[in-house]
Amino acid sequence: MSVTIDIAGLPAERIRFAPSPLAELCMALHALSQPAHHPHLASWATATTTALDPCLADRLLEADFLWRSSFSDIFMPFAGTPGGTGLPAATLAEELDVLDLLDDERFVTAALEHCWLALYDEGGARSPLKDPASRAKVLEAAAARGPAQLRFSLRLLDDTAAVRVWLRRLLEDCDEAFFAETWQRIGPQQVADTRHKTEVLRHKGLPAVLREVSAALSVDEAGTTITADKMVNGSTTATDPRVGPGLVLIPTNFGRPHLLVLHAPGWRPVLHYPLGSPEPASAPGSVELLRLRMDALAHPMRMRLCRSLARAPYTTGELATVHGVSAPEVSRHLAALKKAGLLHTRRQGRYAQHQLDLPAVARIGSDFIEGILR
């Protein structure tokens, strides 16, 4: 399984490396909401969460699905703005200005990305702002997440302008509360990394720089297709006339182990790659428990389910829709994962939601957990 980027005919100078403070703020918020994904950031996450104003913490919960279970494309607005530079701005304020330039349909579709799990490659299909069936589908998916997500989705659809103002103020408050200081510390490192990789690209070529970016990236011998080894299938092109030719690679200090590929139709492709080294894995449990878990994970469909369940809780019906299989088949695979002690299930109203037990999975090995979170 992989995501491919067609770069046939793309001039080398249109492949650019650049930091993005807005994209990094997304990853910082994700690390705060999903500390189990990032144990190496535990001290930072604990200190930051403890110092947060309670009002700001509550406001973050209202929109946390923008960064908790998926990474909304609204945090890379430069990639979806026709006629723009196609590159991140130098400051968070400037990037928020670019976000303001996204039209309402692009903004809403990107903000509700978690509701388009099976339709991302189609750009979210029809706009829920105009199509009643799409609106109903969005709200049903939001309801499965919980009442807070449903309330936010209703606000977003019914008063998009007000939510855009609210979201910008929220991100500005995050900058004031903790991110400005964080970016001042890590920004120079990202600038240095992008300069280094630009030189590698210039002097050694694309295959060499992709190896430095991530072992999960490769380019074919003809130099026409970049492949990202991920547990999801997708494709895009770096020569879409709607946004102009280009491919942008953005470093992240907070993102490991995630390697993100923005591949929505009508958006410039972006590779968001982690800096630093993974943490060593802890020792596994008993041999019998390890065997049971490895048997449970041997089926390719269960591996695909794990990728979804590592990010957020999902219902059986949602998983069936996303992965194109029947609900009974999903139930059988979930039962095997639960028997192996790799799954939690809880009730959310009339929905039963399942989620991967990340600490248990992490004990299997860092390569596995990096693979499913990539």
Side-chain angles (χ1 to χ4, degrees), residues 42-217:
S43 296
W44 174 86
T46 300
T48 302
T49 301
T50 302
L52 276 183
D53 176 80
C55 180
L56 177 57
D58 288 342
R59 289 160 62 203
L60 287 173
L61 288 176
E62 290 185 56
D64 74 342
F65 56 79
L66 295 175
W67 51 77
R68 181 181 180 88
S69 58
S70 61
F71 305 98
S72 172
D73 292 342
I74 64 172
F75 289 96
M76 298 182 187
F78 63 88
T81 306
T85 65
L87 292 171
T91 68
L92 180 64
E94 290 173 313
E95 289 213 88
L96 292 175
D97 289 343
V98 176
L99 178 58
D100 288 342
L101 296 177
L102 281 184
D103 62 60
D104 281 351
E105 289 193 22
R106 280 179 180 250
F107 180 88
V108 168
T109 301
L112 295 173
E113 184 178 306
H114 70 292
C115 297
W116 303 109
L117 295 171
L119 299 172
Y120 181 82
D121 289 332
E122 301 172 22
R126 295 181 179 179
S127 168
L129 291 175
K130 297 180 177 179
D131 181 64
S134 295
R135 177 189 170 95
K137 183 174 182 178
V138 161
L139 295 180
E140 173 67 17
R145 293 283 177 270
Q149 290 88 337
L150 178 58
R151 286 194 298 270
F152 183 86
S153 299
L154 281 167
R155 286 172 53 205
L156 181 63
L157 292 173
D158 293 339
D159 196 351
T160 305
V163 172
R164 295 183 71 148
V165 172
W166 179 89
L167 180 61
R168 174 162 184 151
R169 183 59 187 165
L170 175 65
L171 298 177
E172 289 172 338
D173 288 347
C174 288
D175 189 45
E176 182 179 348
F178 66 89
F179 186 70
E181 180 181 354
T182 299
W183 184 250
Q184 186 176 18
R185 174 172 52 85
I186 66 176
Q189 179 186 353
Q190 294 197 10
V191 170
D193 181 80
T194 58
R195 287 175 177 170
H196 165 72
K197 287 186 169 59
T198 299
E199 289 302 305
V200 174
L201 175 62
R202 180 179 296 123
H203 296 293
K204 297 184 179 180
L206 185 58
V209 78
L210 290 180
R211 285 193 295 270
E212 285 204 14
V213 170
S214 172
L217 295 174

Side-chain angles (χ1 to χ4, degrees), residues 304-316:
R304 293 173 60 190
L305 292 174
C306 282
R307 181 183 183 275
S308 297
L309 295 168
R311 287 163 168 75
Y314 289 103
T315 65
T316 300

Side-chain angles (χ1 to χ4, degrees), residues 225-255:
T225 304
I226 293 174
T227 299
D229 180 20
K230 291 174 64 70
M231 294 186 66
V232 62
N233 286 320
S235 62
T236 187
T237 176
T239 56
D240 192 318
R242 288 172 287 185
V243 288
L247 169 66
V248 186
L249 295 93
I250 299 174
T252 169
N253 290 75
F254 283 89

